[in-house]
Amino acid sequence: MSIETLHFHCFDTALGCCAIAWTPLGVVGSQLPEDSPEATRQRMLARFPGACETADLPAAMGAAVAGIQALLSGELRDLLEIPLDERRVPPFNRRVHALTRQIPVGQTRSYGELAVALGVPGAARAVGQAEGANPFAPIVPCHRVMGSGGAAVGFSAHGGVETKRRLLAIEARACGQLAGEQGALF
């Protein structure tokens, strides 16, 4: 891989300051909000040393930002159009991410269900590890993947499981689910 300049951009959403980093091939990482915009910025600098912060976004990254903002504000968006640069992601994790991206907004799957769909029954823990290492939240919606019995477990973003629940509640409302129906997600 040739040396490329990484760029990143921080942006406001309904949940707080998010960020994306990219190469010419696509997004290499996205960041859900930390405690403050500065904490999000520092997190991106730690994840992508040497990355240049910019407000000048290529069209694809402007569309990615708009899609993330729409999803987090409660619009029904799947973010499948956002290109990913997964060269730094292990092959198994890429397979998990591809399948995770196919989970519709407002729905969930279990780690075990994804393992079966990948053709490796019994690999729920490996799927969980791949989701935990997901550098693309919420573009790869790992918040839609639950533990057995629908338990909201294992979310590595700031705020942990509470952030996962918050994302799922936003998506449930976007799908027109009633408050009582949202409970089934957890």
Side-chain angles (χ1 to χ4, degrees):
M1 179 167 53
S2 64
I3 297 177
E4 298 173 305
T5 301
L6 285 174
H7 297 279
F8 80 96
H9 176 73
C10 295
F11 56 96
D12 291 327
T13 72
L15 293 183
C17 180
C18 289
I20 59 169
W22 68 89
T23 68
L25 295 178
V27 174
V28 294
S30 51
Q31 182 66 45
L32 288 167
E34 295 284 323
D35 282 330
S36 68
E38 185 56 30
T40 300
R41 179 174 285 101
Q42 291 304 314
R43 177 84 162 147
M44 291 301 283
L45 289 169
R47 287 180 63 192
F48 304 102
C52 298
E53 185 172 12
T54 183
D56 185 21
L57 302 177
M61 294 306 109
V65 166
I68 293 167
Q69 289 171 321
L71 178 72
L72 298 182
S73 70
E75 291 182 29
L76 195 58
R77 295 291 292 271
D78 62 19
L79 308 180
L80 290 171
E81 75 282 358
I82 298 175
L84 301 179
D85 178 350
E86 294 186 283
R87 292 176 291 173
R88 297 169 182 85
V89 177
F92 179 78
N93 293 25
R94 288 183 203 171
R95 291 178 56 214
V96 171
H97 295 163
L99 194 56
T100 302
R101 287 186 94 183
Q102 298 303 313
I103 302 170
V105 175
Q107 294 185 25
T108 61
R109 301 290 184 273
S110 72
Y111 298 109
E113 287 173 316
L114 291 183
V116 168
L118 289 166
V120 286
R125 182 167 287 159
V127 169
Q129 290 170 343
E131 298 290 12
N134 172 19
F136 305 109
I139 299 166
V140 172
C142 55
H143 61 278
R144 296 180 193 152
V145 185
M146 311 299 274
S148 62
V153 297
F155 199 59
S156 59
H158 179 72
V161 173
E162 185 53 39
T163 298
K164 184 175 201 164
R165 287 185 173 141
R166 195 168 175 198
L167 290 167
L168 290 169
I170 289 168
E171 291 184 2
R173 284 190 299 276
C175 293
Q177 297 171 1
L178 302 174
E181 294 171 321
Q182 292 176 19
L185 291 173
F186 311 118

